[in-house]
mmCIF file of all heavy atoms in Angstrom:
data_model
loop_
_atom_site.group_PDB
_atom_site.id
_atom_site.type_symbol
_atom_site.label_atom_id
_atom_site.label_comp_id
_atom_site.label_asym_id
_atom_site.label_seq_id
_atom_site.Cartn_x
_atom_site.Cartn_y
_atom_site.Cartn_z
ATOM 1 N N MET A 204 220.872 164.029 149.216
ATOM 2 C CA MET A 204 219.705 163.178 149.388
ATOM 3 C C MET A 204 220.068 161.714 149.534
ATOM 4 O O MET A 204 219.312 160.936 150.125
ATOM 5 C CB MET A 204 218.758 163.366 148.183
ATOM 6 C CG MET A 204 217.363 162.785 148.378
ATOM 7 S SD MET A 204 216.503 163.658 149.716
ATOM 8 C CE MET A 204 214.938 162.775 149.669
ATOM 9 N N ARG A 205 221.235 161.341 149.027
ATOM 10 C CA ARG A 205 221.628 159.942 149.044
ATOM 11 C C ARG A 205 221.817 159.434 150.472
ATOM 12 O O ARG A 205 221.530 158.281 150.770
ATOM 13 C CB ARG A 205 222.906 159.761 148.221
ATOM 14 C CG ARG A 205 223.283 158.293 147.989
ATOM 15 C CD ARG A 205 224.500 158.226 147.087
ATOM 16 N NE ARG A 205 224.187 158.863 145.811
ATOM 17 C CZ ARG A 205 225.120 159.141 144.877
ATOM 18 N NH1 ARG A 205 226.382 158.863 145.121
ATOM 19 N NH2 ARG A 205 224.759 159.687 143.746
ATOM 20 N N THR A 206 222.293 160.299 151.353
ATOM 21 C CA THR A 206 222.504 159.878 152.739
ATOM 22 C C THR A 206 221.192 159.521 153.453
ATOM 23 O O THR A 206 221.175 158.770 154.432
ATOM 24 C CB THR A 206 223.210 160.998 153.521
ATOM 25 O OG1 THR A 206 222.397 162.183 153.430
ATOM 26 C CG2 THR A 206 224.586 161.279 152.957
ATOM 27 N N PHE A 207 220.090 160.068 152.948
ATOM 28 C CA PHE A 207 218.770 159.752 153.539
ATOM 29 C C PHE A 207 218.112 158.571 152.835
ATOM 30 O O PHE A 207 217.454 157.748 153.472
ATOM 31 C CB PHE A 207 217.866 160.986 153.452
ATOM 32 C CG PHE A 207 216.449 160.728 153.875
ATOM 33 C CD1 PHE A 207 216.112 160.621 155.227
ATOM 34 C CD2 PHE A 207 215.439 160.552 152.935
ATOM 35 C CE1 PHE A 207 214.818 160.367 155.611
ATOM 36 C CE2 PHE A 207 214.147 160.303 153.321
ATOM 37 C CZ PHE A 207 213.817 160.214 154.676
ATOM 38 N N VAL A 208 218.279 158.503 151.505
ATOM 39 C CA VAL A 208 217.604 157.470 150.720
ATOM 40 C C VAL A 208 218.178 156.085 151.009
ATOM 41 O O VAL A 208 217.435 155.108 151.151
ATOM 42 C CB VAL A 208 217.693 157.805 149.225
ATOM 43 C CG1 VAL A 208 217.171 156.634 148.389
ATOM 44 C CG2 VAL A 208 216.918 159.068 148.936
ATOM 45 N N GLU A 209 219.505 155.963 151.091
ATOM 46 C CA GLU A 209 220.120 154.646 151.251
ATOM 47 C C GLU A 209 219.653 153.932 152.514
ATOM 48 O O GLU A 209 219.189 152.788 152.446
ATOM 49 C CB GLU A 209 221.642 154.787 151.236
ATOM 50 C CG GLU A 209 222.219 155.168 149.874
ATOM 51 C CD GLU A 209 222.042 154.071 148.845
ATOM 52 O OE1 GLU A 209 221.903 152.881 149.266
ATOM 53 O OE2 GLU A 209 221.994 154.364 147.636
ATOM 54 N N PRO A 210 219.765 154.540 153.708
ATOM 55 C CA PRO A 210 219.352 153.790 154.899
ATOM 56 C C PRO A 210 217.827 153.705 155.075
ATOM 57 O O PRO A 210 217.317 152.722 155.610
ATOM 58 C CB PRO A 210 219.973 154.579 156.049
ATOM 59 C CG PRO A 210 220.104 155.965 155.526
ATOM 60 C CD PRO A 210 220.361 155.842 154.055
ATOM 61 N N MET A 211 217.060 154.754 154.644
ATOM 62 C CA MET A 211 215.634 154.803 154.953
ATOM 63 C C MET A 211 214.772 154.079 153.924
ATOM 64 O O MET A 211 213.818 153.399 154.287
ATOM 65 C CB MET A 211 215.190 156.268 155.056
ATOM 66 C CG MET A 211 215.764 156.982 156.276
ATOM 67 S SD MET A 211 215.225 156.252 157.832
ATOM 68 C CE MET A 211 213.478 156.574 157.726
ATOM 69 N N LEU A 212 215.123 154.208 152.647
ATOM 70 C CA LEU A 212 214.255 153.668 151.606
ATOM 71 C C LEU A 212 214.779 152.369 150.999
ATOM 72 O O LEU A 212 214.079 151.369 150.944
ATOM 73 C CB LEU A 212 214.053 154.717 150.503
ATOM 74 C CG LEU A 212 213.398 156.040 150.942
ATOM 75 C CD1 LEU A 212 213.256 156.978 149.762
ATOM 76 C CD2 LEU A 212 212.049 155.799 151.597
ATOM 77 N N ARG A 213 216.032 152.375 150.559
ATOM 78 C CA ARG A 213 216.544 151.196 149.866
ATOM 79 C C ARG A 213 216.899 150.056 150.805
ATOM 80 O O ARG A 213 216.755 148.888 150.444
ATOM 81 C CB ARG A 213 217.770 151.588 149.045
ATOM 82 C CG ARG A 213 217.423 152.523 147.890
ATOM 83 C CD ARG A 213 218.639 152.813 147.021
ATOM 84 N NE ARG A 213 218.253 153.662 145.885
ATOM 85 C CZ ARG A 213 219.119 154.089 144.953
ATOM 86 N NH1 ARG A 213 220.404 153.726 145.039
ATOM 87 N NH2 ARG A 213 218.690 154.852 143.963
ATOM 88 N N ASN A 214 217.361 150.368 152.004
ATOM 89 C CA ASN A 214 217.752 149.321 152.937
ATOM 90 C C ASN A 214 216.630 148.890 153.872
ATOM 91 O O ASN A 214 216.815 147.979 154.683
ATOM 92 C CB ASN A 214 218.955 149.780 153.770
ATOM 93 C CG ASN A 214 220.173 150.035 152.881
ATOM 94 O OD1 ASN A 214 220.317 149.400 151.824
ATOM 95 N ND2 ASN A 214 221.039 150.948 153.304
ATOM 96 N N THR A 215 215.475 149.559 153.816
ATOM 97 C CA THR A 215 214.328 149.205 154.679
ATOM 98 C C THR A 215 213.256 148.550 153.820
ATOM 99 O O THR A 215 212.743 149.179 152.881
ATOM 100 C CB THR A 215 213.757 150.456 155.374
ATOM 101 O OG1 THR A 215 214.805 151.102 156.102
ATOM 102 C CG2 THR A 215 212.620 150.063 156.309
ATOM 103 N N PRO A 216 212.881 147.302 154.098
ATOM 104 C CA PRO A 216 211.869 146.616 153.277
ATOM 105 C C PRO A 216 210.505 147.303 153.363
ATOM 106 O O PRO A 216 210.083 147.739 154.437
ATOM 107 C CB PRO A 216 211.829 145.208 153.865
ATOM 108 C CG PRO A 216 213.107 145.042 154.608
ATOM 109 C CD PRO A 216 213.461 146.409 155.115
ATOM 110 N N MET A 218 209.447 150.092 152.757
ATOM 111 C CA MET A 218 209.349 151.497 153.123
ATOM 112 C C MET A 218 208.946 152.346 151.928
ATOM 113 O O MET A 218 208.138 153.277 152.059
ATOM 114 C CB MET A 218 210.685 151.971 153.710
ATOM 115 C CG MET A 218 210.670 153.436 154.136
ATOM 116 S SD MET A 218 209.391 153.806 155.355
ATOM 117 C CE MET A 218 210.010 152.886 156.765
#
Side-chain angles (χ1 to χ4, degrees):
M204 193 64 179
R205 189 176 300 170
T206 57
F207 173 77
V208 172
E209 290 293 336
M211 291 298 296
L212 299 180
R213 293 184 177 180
N214 297 331
T215 304
M218 181 58 67

